[in-house]
């Protein structure tokens, strides 16, 4: 594969990620010697939807991508997406002392 330059804008990064996912699904389908029609039948979609998914169309439902991964036996890898255990930035922020809520001390009111 040819090296691509980094995305130029924020909008390009998600599109490239979906494009890579589609091409990886296509490669997995080809390695299993499945036709697009076969995959479409397994996931209950049309061949046109499979083509759009493999091209990385951002308008294709995420459920189509998940169904294709299931049909190819790769759904368990989807569990790694946004896994809280792998989110180092999120973990660091949750343990950050500076972001904890601070409450002002109020005098105790013993009047009942």
């Amino acid at each position: 594969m040819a090296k691509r330059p980094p995305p130029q804008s924020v909008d390009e990064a998600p599109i490239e990620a979906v494009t890579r996912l589609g091409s990886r699904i296509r490669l997995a389908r080809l390695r299993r010697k499945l036709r697009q029609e076969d995959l479409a039948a397994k996931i209950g979609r049309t061949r046109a939807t499979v083509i759009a998914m493999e091209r990385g169309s951002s308008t294709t439902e995420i459920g189509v991508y998940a169904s294709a991964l299931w049909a190819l036996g790769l759904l368990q890898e989807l569990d790694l997406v946004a896994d809280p255990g792998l989110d180092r930035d999120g973990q660091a922020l949750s343990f950050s002392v500076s972001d904890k809520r601070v409450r002002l001390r109020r005098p105790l009111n013993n009047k009942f």
Side-chain angles (χ1 to χ4, degrees), residues 65-79:
Y65 289 94
S67 295
L69 290 169
W70 169 80
L72 297 169
L74 299 171
L75 188 61
Q76 66 277 8
E77 279 76 9
L78 191 58
D79 288 339

Side-chain angles (χ1 to χ4, degrees), residues 5 17 24 33 42 55 65 71-72 74 80 82 85 92 99:
R24 289 174 181 170
K33 300 189 184 340
K42 280 188 171 191
R55 288 184 181 161
Y65 289 94
L72 297 169
L74 299 171
L80 296 176
D99 291 337

Side-chain angles (χ1 to χ4, degrees), residues 12-84:
E12 290 179 23
I15 292 170
E16 286 185 10
V18 173
T19 302
R20 283 192 308 271
L21 177 59
S23 65
R24 289 174 181 170
I25 290 173
R26 180 178 188 277
L27 180 61
R29 176 184 61 79
L30 292 172
R31 287 181 174 171
R32 287 160 178 75
K33 300 189 184 340
L34 290 173
R35 298 177 306 154
Q36 289 173 333
E37 294 86 355
D38 300 333
L39 182 58
K42 280 188 171 191
I43 64 173
R45 302 293 178 135
T46 63
R47 181 174 174 256
T49 302
V50 171
I51 291 170
M53 175 193 56
E54 289 182 352
R55 288 184 181 161
S57 171
S58 60
T59 59
T60 304
E61 299 172 11
I62 192 164
V64 173
Y65 289 94
S67 295
L69 290 169
W70 169 80
L72 297 169
L74 299 171
L75 188 61
Q76 66 277 8
E77 279 76 9
L78 191 58
D79 288 339
L80 296 176
V81 175
D83 182 356

